[in-house]
Amino acid sequence: MRLVRGLWRLRWLGIGMVLLIAYPPICLAETRPLITTKLTKPKIEQIARQTTVRIFTGTASGSGVIVQRQGEIYTVLTNWHVVGLSEKLTIMTCDGRRYFPITNNFVQVGKADMAIVQFRSATPYRTATIHPQPVTPGEPLYTAGFPMYTQYQVETTFDQGIQGFRLTQGIVSLVLPKSLDQGYRLGYTNDISIGMSGGPIFNQYGLLVGINGRLKNRDPDFGVYTFEDNTSPHPELLKQMVRSSWGIPITTYLQLK
């Protein structure tokens, strides 16, 4: 009997070792208390790496963030412009695994540049904790995602997979009194790149406050800085807007989902 019990112990230890190898600890979900203190940048980066996914759409790539888990069904929030026209989509999680979406009929969040995509997995991935309150100008922010191109914008980073992850730090520059077209209302100083669209925006507590979407220094003549009611910003405000990256507040998702 002792020998049999010993073999069973070894068997379970062996299974545990396989699980640790198959699913790196950085990707495993964890039970965590509500965060009420400011976090260091390395801690926020850990949260971002665990919850941010890379989305491949055939000829391009974007980013997303895991916001919910129900059993084996995970919900990812991203930009509508990342997935809306895609017919061939795969989702890469923090352990490098690729998943197909449950359905290609992706759900747009109202008229905002937001989309909900779901995939199925038995692996316990971490979900981002949503902050239901709006941010304020001057508040520190961290943006995450996977740039589609290398530093010199010559080659793609497709072969880098999750190794192409990037986290940038900045502050809230503007919170507009009314939204731009497609729900953009949150301006920030963080540098973001093509491919980081759909990636998360975290506050200094590691809580999800928005979704990336638009780069800095866009040409105002293309109408990207026109409000959703078709009015234009004052010239001084426009200067600030052009110098900012733009995202959609997570409160928009909470209101429209």
Side-chain angles (χ1 to χ4, degrees):
M1 286 296 293
R2 291 180 180 177
L3 177 60
V4 172
R5 289 173 183 170
L7 289 174
W8 271 104
R9 289 194 188 100
L10 287 174
R11 183 179 175 184
W12 281 109
L13 284 171
I15 292 173
M17 290 173 69
V18 170
L19 287 175
L20 287 174
I21 293 170
Y23 310 124
I26 191 172
C27 286
L28 295 178
E30 57 185 61
T31 301
R32 57 195 186 280
L34 181 64
I35 300 170
T36 57
T37 57
K38 298 176 183 178
L39 301 180
T40 62
K41 184 178 180 180
K43 182 60 178 177
I44 291 175
E45 181 172 353
Q46 181 186 34
I47 294 171
R49 284 184 180 274
Q50 292 175 333
T51 58
T52 306
V53 299
R54 187 164 193 178
I55 299 176
F56 292 96
T57 60
T59 59
S61 71
S63 304
V65 58
I66 302 174
V67 294
Q68 187 178 19
R69 177 190 181 189
Q70 293 180 304
E72 294 186 352
I73 305 299
Y74 287 90
T75 298
V76 171
L77 194 58
T78 184
N79 285 142
W80 179 249
H81 79 255
V82 171
V83 301
L85 299 177
S86 175
E87 297 181 355
K88 183 181 179 181
L89 187 148
T90 56
I91 300 165
M92 180 177 284
T93 49
C94 56
D95 53 4
R97 291 173 176 261
R98 289 178 182 254
Y99 298 94
F100 292 108
I102 294 175
T103 174
N104 286 329
N105 294 321
F106 310 125
V107 178
Q108 184 174 8
V109 180
K111 295 183 179 179
D113 188 16
M114 270 186 175
I116 294 171
V117 181
Q118 293 184 315
F119 69 94
R120 185 188 303 274
S121 176
T123 305
Y125 296 113
R126 185 173 187 171
T127 60
T129 302
I130 293 176
H131 185 55
Q133 301 299 323
V135 297
T136 56
E139 184 176 340
L141 289 183
Y142 298 83
T143 56
F146 298 90
M148 193 167 75
Y149 295 99
T150 57
Q151 181 179 358
Y152 300 104
Q153 304 293 304
V154 176
E155 300 176 345
T156 67
T157 63
F158 296 163
D159 60 342
Q160 295 182 17
I162 59 171
Q163 299 305 317
F165 176 86
R166 179 181 297 173
L167 182 79
T168 65
Q169 186 174 358
I171 62 170
V172 178
S173 55
L174 289 166
V175 179
L176 298 176
K178 53 185 177 180
S179 293
L180 301 173
D181 186 39
Q182 297 184 301
Y184 287 96
R185 192 173 179 180
L186 172 58
Y188 40 99
T189 63
N190 309 55
D191 291 320
I192 60 174
S193 306
I194 295 172
M196 293 178 71
S197 290
I201 305 170
F202 292 102
N203 65 9
Q204 59 192 326
Y205 301 97
L207 303 176
L208 184 65
V209 297
I211 298 295
N212 289 320
R214 292 179 178 172
L215 281 62
K216 297 177 180 178
N217 302 314
R218 300 284 294 275
D219 188 340
D221 292 336
F222 282 97
V224 291
Y225 302 111
T226 301
F227 293 111
E228 60 183 355
D229 61 4
N230 292 320
T231 58
S232 299
H234 186 275
E236 288 302 315
L237 176 59
L238 178 60
K239 290 180 181 178
Q240 289 181 277
M241 293 167 69
V242 171
R243 293 195 295 265
S244 298
S245 299
W246 287 93
I248 304 171
I250 200 64
T251 51
T252 299
Y253 167 69
L254 296 176
Q255 294 165 1
L256 298 177
K257 70 174 180 176

